[in-house]
Amino acid sequence: MPSHPSVVTDAYARLAEACPSLVIGELGPGEPAPRGGGWVSAAALAEGGAELDAFLAWDDAQVARDYGQRARPDVVASFGLHRYAWPACLLITVPWFLHRRVPRLPVTHVSYDRTGAGMRMAVREPVSFACLPGDPAAALPGARVVPDEEALRAEVRAAVAEHHEPVLAGFGPRTRRRGRALWGMVTDEIVEGLWYVAGLFGAAEGERARHELELLLPGATRPYVGSAAFRELTGPDGKPLPTRDRASCCMFYTVRPEDTCATCPRTCDADRIGKLTALAAS
């Protein structure tokens, strides 16, 4: 896919280096969004029609193939929403984390394909972007200069909400979840996506991400649910094990009751310590 340099190009390039399974291509002016194959636009997902049906059919087939059983339709829809929202949040949070630039990307500007070996996203140049004073990009068309870091964090929350509100409207009836539960999922995707990717940038960046996310989501920042919710447990060797408490449940327990994730609200601390210790050892 041709690359069109923009204010987010460097951030997406570094993301691709750290996480090769996620490829983000920028569309040039007037360049059509990719179609066919596994490509679907975020706008089509938001419509909640036949293209969302086809999108979720992939999740349904994947569960049957990998686990030898069918998942409930609402669980399939929850899997599909998670698999879209995780990279979609990174489109906004990574440029903010790396370069203090917050792009506005409505659903009409993003397409997604996860049917190959990894995930691919095609992104049209941001409608506008927020940045801080002193950023060289502040003189570019579409720049909105905000006074300080807290104002920029407000821009992150607004940009993620703007993109996801119509997507949640499309997925909501399929997941059988409503406002708070859906926004709890988005809250988790913001936190866990950036926390994971920042760790790939390096241990120091992973620690910085925890601090940045605690400031971004301190609690009572509607429509998001709760805070970043980081905390530490103590491993068998006395070393700290960072974890967090998810605001939502991905419903994977309905497929594999014995296999919950380390941040699942259903996972007790003793099991979390076991899972995190095994992960660290591997």
Side-chain angles (χ1 to χ4, degrees):
M1 186 180 302
S3 177
H4 175 65
S6 74
V7 295
V8 294
T9 298
D10 290 344
Y12 293 166
R14 187 171 177 194
L15 174 58
E17 290 175 1
C19 187
S21 61
L22 174 57
V23 177
I24 301 171
E26 295 184 71
L27 300 172
E31 183 179 354
R35 299 180 60 86
W39 284 103
V40 62
S41 69
L45 296 178
E47 291 173 0
E51 291 195 63
L52 179 56
D53 289 336
F55 182 83
L56 295 178
W58 187 94
D59 295 279
D60 187 37
Q62 178 266 321
V63 171
R65 181 183 67 250
D66 292 353
Y67 303 110
Q69 65 182 85
R70 303 298 291 272
R72 298 191 325 237
D74 61 306
V75 173
V76 168
S78 294
F79 289 176
L81 176 55
H82 158 66
R83 287 162 172 163
Y84 175 77
W86 190 90
C89 287
L90 292 173
L91 295 176
I92 295 165
T93 60
V94 169
W96 163 69
F97 181 71
L98 293 178
H99 302 298
R100 288 304 191 255
R101 296 171 184 172
V102 181
R104 287 297 182 107
L105 296 169
V107 291
T108 53
H109 280 50
V110 178
S111 297
Y112 179 55
D113 174 23
R114 46 66 184 279
T115 59
M119 298 173 285
R120 296 189 295 169
M121 305 195 87
V123 181
R124 200 165 295 287
E125 188 165 359
V127 174
S128 63
F129 68 97
C131 63
L132 293 171
D135 187 329
L140 295 176
R144 290 181 295 105
V145 181
V146 298
D148 53 33
E149 292 280 3
E150 180 50 41
L152 198 64
R153 287 190 283 270
E155 291 287 337
V156 176
R157 294 189 288 266
V160 174
E162 176 188 57
H163 182 86
H164 282 82
E165 185 172 13
V167 173
L168 296 184
F171 275 91
R174 313 297 185 93
T175 64
R176 298 177 62 186
R177 303 190 194 198
R178 295 186 179 180
R180 181 177 175 83
L182 291 170
W183 284 107
M185 292 183 69
V186 177
T187 304
D188 289 329
E189 307 307 348
I190 292 173
V191 178
E192 298 199 354
L194 184 60
W195 188 28
Y196 172 77
V197 167
L200 299 179
F201 295 153
E205 290 291 74
E207 284 299 312
R208 183 168 75 88
R210 288 178 61 185
H211 175 68
E212 295 282 5
L213 287 163
E214 286 172 338
L215 294 173
L216 179 68
L217 295 169
T221 48
R222 293 184 177 180
Y224 305 104
V225 177
S227 67
F230 288 110
R231 60 191 179 96
E232 287 190 345
L233 301 172
T234 303
D237 56 1
K239 293 182 178 180
L241 296 171
T243 187
R244 67 175 298 265
D245 296 313
R246 288 180 60 89
S248 68
C249 177
C250 70
M251 308 296 284
F252 185 66
Y253 78 93
T254 63
V255 178
R256 287 280 184 88
E258 73 285 359
D259 190 11
T260 57
C261 62
T263 56
C264 178
R266 295 174 173 271
T267 305
C268 68
D269 281 358
D271 288 344
R272 288 188 187 215
I273 291 170
K275 291 175 183 290
L276 292 169
T277 301
L279 179 62
S282 64

